Amino acid sequence: MLAEEPGRAGAVIDRARTLARICDVAEAPESAVVSVILGDPEVAVAAAAACLEAGVRVGCFRPPTVPAGTSRLRLTARASLTDDEMDTARAVLTTVLKGQRR
């Protein structure tokens, strides 16, 4: 697929970096994965549930999978995310994460 569509790899990184900016993640990702550290496991679980309820599926990692105090949402970008899907993600993540950052 990459031989036929070489722009896909760069598109994934572009989408991931956009998601990182939306979530105010300081370090630009070098892969499709964006970790949004929220700290408290209950906050991370509630944020993931709120995202899902609003139509955006995110991963949620908390101890013992990650160190205590670093519970997080995990977003995975795809090259095929449409502009409409990115707009939805922006709206949902901005609302859910407001006031939840460490």
Side-chain angles (χ1 to χ4, degrees), residues 28-65:
E30 295 297 325
S31 72
V33 176
V34 179
S35 288
V36 183
I37 298 175
L38 298 177
D40 184 87
E42 292 176 8
V43 170
V45 169
C51 286
L52 183 59
E53 186 175 310
V56 175
R57 183 179 302 270
V58 300
C60 179
F61 290 81
R62 55 202 183 277
T65 307

Side-chain angles (χ1 to χ4, degrees), residues 56-99:
V56 175
R57 183 179 302 270
V58 300
C60 179
F61 290 81
R62 55 202 183 277
T65 307
V66 296
T70 67
S71 293
R72 65 196 67 201
L73 299 181
R74 184 174 178 181
L75 315 175
T76 305
R78 322 184 299 276
S80 62
L81 284 171
T82 67
D83 289 341
D84 286 344
E85 289 169 326
M86 290 297 289
D87 289 344
T88 298
R90 175 179 282 109
V92 170
L93 291 165
T94 300
T95 299
V96 169
L97 294 175
K98 191 175 205 173

Side-chain angles (χ1 to χ4, degrees), residues 5-38:
E5 299 177 49
R8 278 188 172 260
V12 169
I13 299 300
D14 289 345
R15 291 301 196 191
R17 289 181 176 172
T18 298
L19 289 170
R21 281 191 301 276
I22 289 168
C23 296
D24 200 26
V25 172
E27 192 171 325
E30 295 297 325
S31 72
V33 176
V34 179
S35 288
V36 183
I37 298 175
L38 298 177

